[in-house]
Each structure stands twice: as structure tokens, then as C-alpha cells.
Amino acid sequence: MKTGVGLYTALVLCLLMGTVFLQRPRPKKPPKPPKPTKRPSFKPAPPPKEPEPQEPTDFPPPILGPPSMFPDCPRECFCPPSFPNALYCDNRNLRTVPLIPSRVHYLYLQNNYISEVTAEPFNNATELRWVNMANNRIKKVDKKVFEKVPGLLFLYMERNQLKEVPDDLPAGLEQLRLSHNQISKIPSGAFGKMEHLALLDLHHNKLSDSDMGKNTFKDLKTLVQLNLAHNILKKMPANIPNGIAQLFLDRNNIDNIPKDYFQGFSNLAFVRLNYNQLSDKGVPKAVFNVSTLLDLHLAHNQLTSVPLFNPQLEQLHLNHNSIESINGTQLCPFSLSSESLTDEALMPRLRYLRLDGNHLSPPVPLDVIMCFRHLKSIVI
């Protein structure tokens, strides 16, 4: 009996062990390693570029002015209590022109980010006399702006992005400054009604001979100074008012002056033609023999001889040309033995003569000293 029980127990144990053995997972064969592949060459991506500023949202925020005692003072401007006719909106990071109070005579808007000038801010600004919009980004001026300010006398718009002279400028303007723009067009009749304009500054633009008609400046009866330096002119501008006193034409491409160009000028005192293409061929012998001329600049040209000039001339700049000799006997308006050279009133008035940068060497010829006895300085 005990033997049977022992056999039965042994049989049960064997069956249990077999079941456990059958349930154990068989070990899988290890997978074959993948075939080696060439590693792709890796180039680091370039660093992302800084995004360009999106105008005007990425400009510095507008700067608000201090609290004002004037209820009509724009928040972004300063209205000085001691100067109620002035409105200071300069250096405020402005994108647009604020509403101008009717009491304002002097408006300062320079050094901002204004790109367009519209008429609405000027609706009540009928008393404006002086406007400074220099150093902005102005590309466009609404034609109706100047209808609102008929009494404007001074307009400063230099260092902007204008491509042409604005239309319908106030007829009473006395000064117009448009230098350092991109002006390549002057509309016909742009200055036709401006009889009071004394100063017209157009230097550092892109004006060529074809951009200025024959009568562009003809009606500027009271013009004193015309500045056309730093443009691309090849000819002397036509029909300059004969009452002009200062004519600046530096850094153009002018190579010829008409023989009678300065005839009839009654007040011409300063002429600047530095950095042009003038040679002896393009400068008629006596073209600068103008009795009112005091200061003549002909530096950085291609002259090989000293042009004749009037005894009244006081300053002559001829530096950096190709002059090889200077003859006082030829230049002197009188004979060196003339009694005129002993008369103080008749003696040539030349005080300053600059000749450096030519093919000359000291000493200064004696006949030059004998003739021009008022000379205080000569650079050779």
C-alpha cells in the first residue's frame, strides 16, 4: 500500500515537471547584425539670419513728451510754456506727423521715421512759418499739404528719400532745403510762382542736365544762393537769375562754360566749381572777369594755366590741377610799371591764392608778388 502511494506521488511529480519544462520558452537565435552602411556626410546648417526689421513695427517705440499745460499739445511732442508758438516733435521715433495745433508757427519733426506726409495733420496749421522734417524717410508728400500752410517761409526736408521736388510748394517760401535726397526730377513750373525764394539747396541728389528744363530757375527773381553740388550735371545750369550771389556746382561732371555765361550777373560774389572736368579748352579766357566776384573755387579740375580774373577777386583756389607755371605779368590786370599799382584803390585785391597739388615749386615768381601786393597767403 505504501509502495503504491509512493509510486503515485512520483508519477504526479514527473508530470508536473514535464509541464513546466514544456512551458519554458526556447531561446531564440540572435539576429544577424545589419550590414554596415556608409554614414551620410553631415554639414551643419548655417545659423539662421536675423530677420529684417518690419517697418514700422520693429522701430523703437515712440517717445512721449512731458505733460503739457496746453490741452492741444500732442502726447508725443513737447510744447514749451515759454514758447507757445513752437512744437517740438523731433527725435521721438515718430512714424507719422501728429495733429498740429493752430497756434503753432514753428514745427520741428527732424530725426524720426516718417515715410509719408499727409494733409490731415495740417488741417488747422494755417499759421505755420517754419517746418523742419530733415532726416526722416519721407518718400511722398501729399499735394494738399501745402494748401493748408500758405504762409510757410522755411521748409527743410534734407536727408530723406524724395525722388522729385514736391508739387505745389507755397509761393511765399524763402528757403527750401532738399539736399541729400534721391531727386532726379524737377516738375515743370515747380518754382514758377516762388518770387520770394532766396535759398534753394539741391545738393547731393541725382539731377542731370535733362532733369532741369531751360526755365526751371528763371522765375526765382530774388534767389541769392543756388546749391547744385554733388549731382551729375555736365553743363552749366541755364537761365540762372542774374541777381544771384552764390552759385555752388562742386562735384559734378561739368567740362565747359559758355563764353558769356556770367554776363549780366549783378551780384555774383561766390562761385564754386571744385571737382569737375574743366580744362583750358572748356574755360574761355575771360569768363571769370566779373567785377563783383570775390571768391572763386576751381580746385580738382584739369586746368594747365591760371584763368584771367577781375582785380576785385579776393580768393582764388586752383589747387590740384595741372598748372606748370604761373606768370604774374600775364595775370596782372595792369602793367607792372603802371601808376595804378601805386594807387591803393586800384591795386588788385587778391588776398589768398592756393596752388598746391599742381606741377609748381617754390619760390613764388617776383612778378606775382609785385602785382598782387594785398596777398596775405599763397600756398604753392
Side-chain angles (χ1 to χ4, degrees):
M1 184 69 179
K2 290 182 179 179
T3 305
V5 172
L7 287 172
Y8 177 78
T9 304
L11 180 61
V12 172
L13 290 172
C14 287
L15 289 172
L16 290 172
M17 289 180 65
T19 303
V20 172
F21 179 78
L22 289 172
Q23 290 179 350
R24 290 179 62 189
R26 294 182 181 181
K28 294 181 180 179
K29 292 182 180 181
K32 293 181 180 181
K35 293 181 180 180
T37 56
K38 291 183 179 180
R39 296 182 66 184
S41 58
F42 176 74
K43 294 182 179 179
K49 293 183 179 179
E50 290 291 327
E52 291 291 327
Q54 298 297 315
E55 300 184 11
T57 55
D58 286 355
F59 287 162
I63 300 172
L64 300 182
S68 175
M69 62 178 286
F70 299 101
D72 59 358
C73 184
R75 290 190 62 203
E76 56 268 56
C77 303
F78 171 52
C79 300
S82 59
F83 197 12
N85 296 129
L87 182 63
Y88 290 87
C89 309
D90 52 312
N91 297 285
R92 300 277 174 178
N93 300 332
L94 302 184
R95 280 70 154 168
T96 58
V97 179
L99 188 65
I100 312 303
S102 58
R103 60 185 167 80
V104 173
H105 291 182
Y106 305 92
L107 174 60
Y108 299 89
L109 282 164
Q110 66 270 28
N111 305 324
N112 283 295
Y113 297 104
I114 299 168
S115 60
E116 182 177 356
V117 183
T118 57
E120 289 77 11
F122 297 90
N123 280 338
N124 298 319
T126 55
E127 299 300 316
L128 271 180
R129 298 292 180 266
W130 178 306
V131 174
N132 189 340
M133 298 184 186
N135 198 28
N136 275 278
R137 301 190 174 196
I138 299 171
K139 297 179 180 178
K140 182 180 178 182
V141 181
D142 193 323
K143 290 184 178 181
K144 295 182 179 180
V145 168
F146 301 114
E147 293 178 5
K148 312 289 185 182
V149 288
L152 194 64
L153 301 177
F154 300 88
L155 177 58
Y156 299 164
M157 296 188 71
E158 58 265 46
R159 297 188 182 278
N160 278 287
Q161 299 175 17
L162 295 171
K163 293 187 176 180
E164 63 179 72
V165 173
D167 282 330
D168 299 319
L169 291 164
L173 272 183
E174 295 180 4
Q175 289 192 20
L176 176 59
R177 298 178 185 266
L178 296 170
S179 67
H180 290 87
N181 276 277
Q182 301 170 21
I183 296 173
S184 61
K185 181 182 177 183
I186 301 178
S188 177
F191 308 125
K193 300 177 182 179
M194 300 171 69
E195 297 182 356
H196 304 285
L197 193 68
L199 184 149
L200 177 56
D201 188 355
L202 287 162
H203 85 271
H204 234 114
N205 277 288
K206 297 181 179 180
L207 290 167
S208 64
D209 301 319
S210 60
D211 298 324
M212 297 186 298
K214 284 187 176 181
N215 298 322
T216 297
F217 307 110
K218 185 178 180 181
D219 296 320
L220 300 176
K221 306 295 185 183
T222 57
L223 194 64
V224 174
Q225 183 189 110
L226 175 60
N227 193 340
L228 291 169
H230 279 268
N231 279 283
I232 48 177
L233 303 176
K234 292 185 177 180
K235 299 178 180 179
M236 300 290 285
N239 288 325
I240 301 298
N242 57 17
I244 197 169
Q246 302 173 357
L247 179 59
F248 301 146
L249 293 164
D250 307 84
R251 292 189 181 275
N252 279 281
N253 298 313
I254 298 170
D255 59 6
N256 180 67
I257 303 174
K259 182 179 180 180
D260 57 351
Y261 186 81
F262 295 111
Q263 286 187 6
F265 282 78
S266 55
N267 298 311
L268 189 64
F270 301 90
V271 173
R272 297 177 64 105
L273 281 158
N274 299 323
Y275 291 94
N276 276 282
Q277 305 294 324
L278 292 171
S279 63
D280 293 358
K281 182 179 178 181
V283 179
K285 187 175 181 180
V287 71
F288 295 118
N289 188 7
V290 180
S291 61
T292 56
L293 196 58
L294 301 177
D295 195 331
L296 177 60
H297 289 244
L298 295 168
H300 293 272
N301 278 283
Q302 301 167 16
L303 300 171
T304 59
S305 61
V306 179
L308 295 178
F309 51 89
N310 193 272
Q312 301 302 314
L313 190 71
E314 296 184 1
Q315 296 198 31
L316 177 59
H317 297 249
L318 287 165
N319 49 297
H320 296 90
N321 277 275
S322 299
I323 300 170
E324 297 184 353
S325 64
I326 177 170
N327 189 322
T329 303
Q330 293 178 355
L331 289 177
C332 194
F334 309 107
S335 168
L336 292 178
S337 59
S338 170
E339 292 183 1
S340 299
L341 290 178
T342 60
D343 187 336
E344 186 74 16
L346 298 176
M347 196 179 298
R349 312 301 297 176
L350 192 66
R351 299 175 184 274
Y352 181 83
L353 176 60
R354 186 169 175 184
L355 290 163
D356 54 304
N358 284 281
H359 306 305
L360 298 168
S361 55
V364 178
L366 182 60
D367 51 3
V368 173
I369 303 298
M370 291 295 295
C371 179
F372 302 103
R373 299 182 187 181
H374 284 290
L375 266 174
K376 302 293 183 184
S377 176
I378 180 169
V379 185
I380 194 169

